[in-house]
Amino acid sequence: MAITGIVMMAYADNFHADSIIGVAFAVGSASTSALYKVLFKMFLGSANFGEAAHFVSTLGFFNLIFISFTPVVLYFTKVEHWSSFAALPWGCLCGMAGLWLAFNILVNVGVVLTYPILISIGTVLSIPGNAAVDLLKQEVIFNVVRLAATIIICIGFLLMLLPEEWDEITLRFINSLKEKKSEEHAEDAADSGVHLRSRNRANGTVSIPLA
């Protein structure tokens, strides 16, 4: 559902060559992020504070080693061209890096110190928060498609708040409703039978069982 919302966001901005590349990168980012979260839960499970801090530190160290040289390689292979360092928006870049660091620390450590559902709700609220910033600062017009995409992405995040055995719980709930209805139907049939027998006695009718 998140990927569907991303494609709808790109559709709201009108598809062109750059937007298709952006959608492809966004879909890849969402997929790898989901894989990362699943592997984290699979190998670490419910990590304590020390394990979470050690994992985040190791992850940052590996990112520094294996990802930092990528722009340098692209520059020397003439794939990318760097403008003067003074022309780069250092304020926006440093602000984004700081916010991204705070987000990762709050998500990974906050799950250990607080409740996981609290972190999940905070992640869900970041979507309408970003939409409000775009609306106020960037003056982005929210049409029906963009609004529907935002709602679909939020629903996708809300589905992750369901318990792990939500399907079994739902099936048990449906079965209990069916059993309750069948019991009520049996009680109604028994009551109607008792009422019929009492009426027959009142009318002087006697039912003779057949051999």
Side-chain angles (χ1 to χ4, degrees), residues 4-175:
T4 304
I6 293 171
V7 175
M8 291 177 65
M9 283 285 188
Y11 174 78
D13 294 331
N14 297 323
F15 276 113
H16 47 85
D18 293 337
S19 66
I20 294 176
I21 297 174
V23 168
F25 278 120
V27 170
S29 174
S31 303
T32 52
S33 176
L35 179 63
Y36 157 72
K37 293 180 184 299
V38 171
L39 292 177
F40 180 86
K41 186 71 175 178
M42 183 185 299
F43 289 104
L44 291 182
S46 301
N48 55 31
F49 178 77
E51 291 174 345
H54 182 268
F55 177 80
V56 174
S57 302
T58 307
L59 184 64
F61 180 72
F62 274 89
N63 286 337
L64 180 64
I65 294 177
F66 295 106
I67 297 179
S68 297
F69 70 89
T70 304
V72 180
V73 173
L74 294 176
Y75 173 75
F76 283 107
T77 55
K78 306 298 181 182
V79 176
E80 283 191 0
H81 174 71
W82 292 355
S83 57
S84 61
F85 284 94
L88 293 177
W90 289 108
C92 294
L93 291 175
C94 293
M96 183 185 68
L99 291 174
W100 187 243
L101 175 64
F103 172 77
N104 279 281
I105 291 176
L106 290 176
V107 167
N108 291 282
V109 179
V111 172
V112 179
L113 298 180
T114 61
Y115 299 99
I117 190 171
L118 182 65
I119 304 300
S120 301
I121 292 175
T123 306
V124 173
L125 292 178
S126 66
I127 300 172
N130 288 329
V133 171
D134 288 339
L135 183 63
L136 296 175
K137 296 295 183 181
Q138 305 295 333
E139 297 180 356
V140 176
I141 300 175
F142 268 78
N143 52 16
V144 178
V145 178
R146 191 181 294 273
L147 183 61
T150 305
I151 293 174
I152 288 175
I153 294 174
C154 290
I155 292 174
F157 273 91
L158 289 174
L159 287 176
M160 294 192 301
L161 298 180
L162 294 174
E164 294 182 0
E165 300 177 353
W166 66 271
D167 50 347
E168 297 179 2
I169 295 174
T170 306
L171 289 176
R172 284 199 298 266
F173 178 73
I174 294 174
N175 291 331

